[in-house]
Amino acid sequence: MLHFSIFRQRAQDRRHRAQQLQTARTSVRDNSLRRSDKSYEIMANRGPTYGLSREVQEKIEQKYDPDLESRLVDWIVVQCGGNLERPQPGKQNFQNWLMDGTILCRLINSLYPRGKEPIKKIQETHMAFKQMEKISQFLQAAEAYGVITTDIFQTVDLWEGKDMAAVQRTLMALGSVALTKDDGHYRGNRDWFHRKSQSNRREFSEEQLRQGQNLIGLQMGSNRGASQAGMTGYGMHRQIMPYLVVRIMSSAKQFFILLLVALVHIAEQESSGRREKSDDCVCGHPGIPGNPGHNGMPGRDGRDGAKGDKGDPGDIGTCGATGKDGPKGDKGEPGAPGIDGVKGRRGENGERGPPGKMGPQGFPGPLGLKGLKGEMGMPGPQGIKGDVGPLGPEGPQGIIGYKGEKGVQGPIGPPGRPGPKGDLGPPGHKGSIGYRGDKGSKGEIGEKGPQGDMPEIPKSAFSAGLTAQSKLPASNVPIRFEKIIYNRQNHYDPQSGRFTCAITGAYYFTYHITVFSRNVRVALMKNGQSIIHTMDNYQNNEDQASGGTVLYLQAGDKVWLQVVGEQFFNGLYADDDDDTTFSGFLLFAE
């Protein structure tokens, strides 16, 4: 009857679904999770649920605990610290407070020491898939911290508000693990969470284990009081039956035991009445004992016993391996000077060293005694010719003497007055270089000459980037950077993605790549030849890669950037917040 009513309800739902679809979409858009200063993308337009789905969703929502919400908010505010804003009470406000993933990432980072946080970079973003990625990072970090997998909620449970009670269970489990570790990073009241049970391992000796093999544990039942007196050799062997059959037989056995007890009680009353009537009744022989019953179900484990006395200290273990050398310590203070040792033997004479540097000039000594007369020195140089003496009296004419030797040439006299310009004579022999004359006086400033032509400086440069339409380009073809940043000389063609050299010289090319969703492997090409390669692996976060080199190009050479390999290495990404660019410019021309 219940299944028939469910099928009838589902049939009615399908008939009314077409009429209510537009109203459902409008209701979903109006009730979408938004904030006053941020806009969120709608992940999916979900209509209202009916039938069993609605009953299940209502039961899930009934598990949400408002009191637990207040306790979790208090702990998150205290644990994260800073100027964290508290949300208004209510499940919707609690979901809006946590759904971007930032507070959850700050919470898990606060449980680790500084410098060892599992989430290195927490990005502030309004993009839906990046916020869901931060929630996934929190869940992975929480599981690595010690929260078991069954206590981890799903990303959609928080983002779409499907099961906020599961979010509360995950945060409670995280707080319990942090309180149990007690490593000094937990902040807040210790009564907010319970400690998890710790292991209490027992160690038994070989003798105790051998003794235990001869004992029958009480969980297996007991044979105390059993007897085989009066049994024949043909007993019924033990039957191995399924668990359900055993339970049914056990219930039936209990019923018959109660019935047997009642019959025995009635029989005792009748027998006591008969004894009053006749005391000469003789009891019969005891009957044959029945077969022993089947063992009952094992009972529950008993509670842990009291803590035992401290055991004897164990033997000293073997010496472990030598540890690694620690960091070099600071230089210590100099110690006190030691006592002088015994004077050693005189060493052998060493080799004579090189002469030392010349010392400073000494003071002049006292005046010595007059020395002996020296030998005749060499004749001195000829003196300067004296002035002409006065004219003497005319003497007799003497005898013509011999022609004397040519005297030493006298100094050059002062220049005479310039004479009239003579005729151009034959070129003479090249004379020796004369003395440098004195610097002449500064001449007058001449008239300004006509302005010359300015030298033409060769120019060639470009810079371009990817757009949202040209991201994730195809492989083994030039990448088309369609977002022109600078291309005044038009040496770069955005349609083909190639740069054509117009001026022979040295050029510098560089590229900056934002890596997202796929790996990246690119190469800088010159006339179809690969020059340099760059590769980067995507690891669940945005990454950056870059490269650059200097190339010698001749007029007509072409340079471009392209993806090397298959489509799995084209993770070049660009949007409003991230860019991928390719640039180049002329260093000098030849």
Side-chain angles (χ1 to χ4, degrees):
M1 191 65 179
L2 176 61
H3 291 288
F4 178 75
S5 62
I6 293 173
F7 294 149
R8 183 175 58 187
Q9 180 67 28
R10 290 182 177 177
Q12 294 177 359
D13 294 342
R14 286 193 295 268
R15 285 195 300 269
H16 295 293
R17 184 65 61 86
Q19 299 176 0
Q20 298 178 352
L21 182 59
Q22 185 64 30
T23 304
R25 290 178 177 176
T26 305
S27 175
V28 170
R29 285 195 299 268
D30 294 340
N31 295 330
S32 299
L33 304 178
R34 298 180 182 274
R35 293 184 179 176
S36 60
D37 55 345
K38 296 180 181 179
S39 60
Y40 293 88
E41 298 182 4
I42 299 176
M43 300 299 295
N45 290 334
R46 301 182 181 273
T49 56
Y50 299 93
L52 286 177
S53 299
R54 186 169 184 176
E55 294 178 3
V56 171
Q57 186 63 33
E58 288 178 352
K59 289 183 178 180
I60 292 176
E61 292 177 355
Q62 290 175 0
K63 296 179 180 180
Y64 186 82
D65 189 353
D67 296 335
L68 182 58
E69 171 198 322
S70 177
R71 189 197 312 172
L72 292 175
V73 170
D74 293 339
W75 176 57
I76 293 174
V77 171
V78 174
Q79 183 70 35
C80 294
N83 53 352
L84 191 61
E85 183 180 358
R86 298 175 63 92
Q88 295 294 330
K91 182 176 70 174
Q92 191 72 28
N93 296 326
F94 186 62
Q95 177 191 359
N96 295 341
W97 193 48
L98 299 177
M99 67 182 300
D100 64 346
T102 301
I103 296 177
L104 295 177
C105 293
R106 289 179 56 184
L107 176 63
I108 193 66
N109 283 346
S110 65
L111 297 175
Y112 284 85
R114 185 177 299 275
K116 296 184 179 180
E117 294 86 351
I119 304 174
K120 302 299 182 183
K121 183 179 180 182
I122 304 176
Q123 299 180 352
E124 293 290 343
T125 178
H126 304 326
M127 301 179 67
F129 71 94
K130 289 189 177 181
Q131 293 179 355
M132 297 180 70
E133 183 179 356
K134 287 193 289 185
I135 299 176
S136 299
Q137 291 177 352
F138 163 76
L139 296 177
Q140 295 174 2
E143 188 172 359
Y145 187 72
V147 180
I148 60 177
T149 307
T150 54
D151 290 338
I152 298 293
F153 66 87
Q154 302 295 322
T155 304
V156 294
D157 293 341
L158 173 58
W159 178 259
E160 298 183 3
K162 283 190 172 182
D163 191 357
M164 291 302 297
V167 178
Q168 289 183 329
R169 288 195 300 272
T170 301
L171 295 177
M172 284 292 297
L174 179 62
S176 298
V177 174
L179 182 62
T180 304
K181 286 189 174 183
D182 198 13
D183 53 1
H185 299 292
Y186 174 82
R187 306 185 189 96
N189 192 343
R190 293 183 174 271
D191 295 335
W192 285 343
F193 304 101
H194 62 275
R195 287 181 177 271
K196 290 185 175 292
S197 60
Q198 302 296 317
S199 61
N200 186 11
R201 186 177 181 85
R202 278 87 166 174
E203 297 292 342
F204 298 99
S205 63
E206 293 293 337
E207 183 179 359
Q208 290 175 335
L209 293 176
R210 285 195 300 269
Q211 292 177 359
Q213 294 176 357
N214 300 326
L215 298 177
I216 300 176
L218 295 179
Q219 294 181 356
M220 301 177 184
S222 175
N223 59 355
R224 184 172 299 174
S227 174
Q228 293 181 343
M231 290 184 62
T232 62
Y234 297 96
M236 180 176 290
H237 61 278
R238 182 176 180 181
Q239 301 292 330
I240 305 300
M241 291 176 286
Y243 175 73
L244 182 60
V245 176
V246 173
R247 291 293 301 273
I248 295 174
M249 293 182 65
S250 176
S251 301
K253 183 178 179 180
Q254 294 177 358
F255 173 78
F256 285 115
I257 289 174
L258 294 175
L259 181 60
L260 182 61
V261 169
L263 294 176
V264 170
H265 182 66
I266 295 172
E268 289 180 353
Q269 291 180 353
E270 292 178 355
S271 62
S272 60
R274 291 177 181 176
R275 289 194 191 97
E276 294 176 356
K277 295 180 180 179
S278 60
D279 295 334
D280 55 353
C281 180
V282 181
C283 296
H285 297 284
I288 300 174
N291 297 326
H294 298 288
N295 292 333
M297 297 300 296
R300 296 182 180 179
D301 295 341
R303 296 183 178 180
D304 294 340
K307 185 176 181 180
D309 297 334
K310 185 176 181 180
D312 297 332
D315 297 334
I316 299 176
T318 58
C319 200
T322 304
K324 297 182 179 179
D325 295 337
K328 185 176 181 181
D330 298 334
K331 185 176 181 181
E333 298 179 357
I339 304 174
D340 295 339
V342 182
K343 185 176 182 180
R345 296 180 180 180
R346 180 182 178 86
E348 298 179 357
N349 295 330
E351 298 180 356
R352 186 174 181 178
K357 297 181 180 180
M358 180 177 290
Q361 184 177 1
F363 297 103
L367 187 63
L369 300 176
K370 185 176 181 181
L372 301 176
K373 185 178 181 181
E375 298 178 354
M376 181 68 70
M378 296 294 293
Q382 185 177 359
I384 302 174
K385 184 178 181 180
D387 297 333
V388 179
L391 185 64
E394 184 177 356
Q397 184 176 2
I399 302 172
I400 300 174
Y402 298 99
K403 186 177 180 181
E405 296 179 359
K406 187 176 180 180
V408 180
Q409 184 178 358
I412 299 175
R417 295 179 181 179
K421 186 176 182 182
D423 298 332
L424 185 64
H429 298 287
K430 185 176 181 181
S432 60
I433 300 174
Y435 296 102
R436 184 173 182 177
D438 298 332
K439 184 177 181 181
S441 60
K442 187 175 181 181
E444 298 179 356
I445 299 176
E447 297 179 357
K448 185 177 181 181
Q451 184 177 2
D453 297 331
M454 291 293 295
E456 184 178 356
I457 301 175
K459 299 178 181 179
S460 177
F462 78 96
S463 182
L466 292 180
T467 62
Q469 290 74 25
S470 59
K471 64 183 180 182
L472 305 178
S475 60
N476 300 322
V477 294
I479 301 174
R480 295 169 57 189
F481 294 86
E482 299 176 350
K483 180 181 177 182
I484 301 301
I485 302 174
Y486 178 86
N487 193 23
R488 182 169 295 182
Q489 291 78 30
N490 292 325
H491 293 166
Y492 171 77
D493 185 10
Q495 299 298 326
S496 63
R498 293 183 173 90
F499 169 79
T500 304
C501 176
I503 303 170
T504 303
Y507 289 77
Y508 178 76
F509 295 91
T510 180
Y511 49 87
H512 176 83
I513 301 172
T514 298
V515 182
F516 186 73
S517 75
R518 297 179 185 177
N519 299 335
V520 166
R521 183 188 295 167
V522 297
L524 183 67
M525 309 294 292
K526 172 187 173 183
N527 297 332
Q529 182 180 1
S530 175
I531 303 299
I532 60 173
H533 290 80
T534 299
M535 181 176 179
D536 188 74
N537 292 328
Y538 174 68
Q539 298 179 351
N540 298 328
N541 266 328
E542 290 184 0
D543 202 356
Q544 308 294 329
S546 61
T549 187
V550 176
L551 296 179
Y552 172 79
L553 301 180
Q554 296 181 352
D557 289 347
K558 297 182 181 296
V559 178
W560 66 88
L561 196 68
Q562 75 177 26
V563 176
V564 180
E566 301 175 353
Q567 292 293 114
F568 301 101
F569 297 93
N570 64 339
L572 289 82
Y573 187 79
D575 59 7
D576 295 338
D577 298 328
D578 303 295
D579 292 293
T580 296
T581 60
F582 178 41
S583 305
F585 56 87
L586 175 65
L587 294 175
F588 56 87
E590 289 190 354

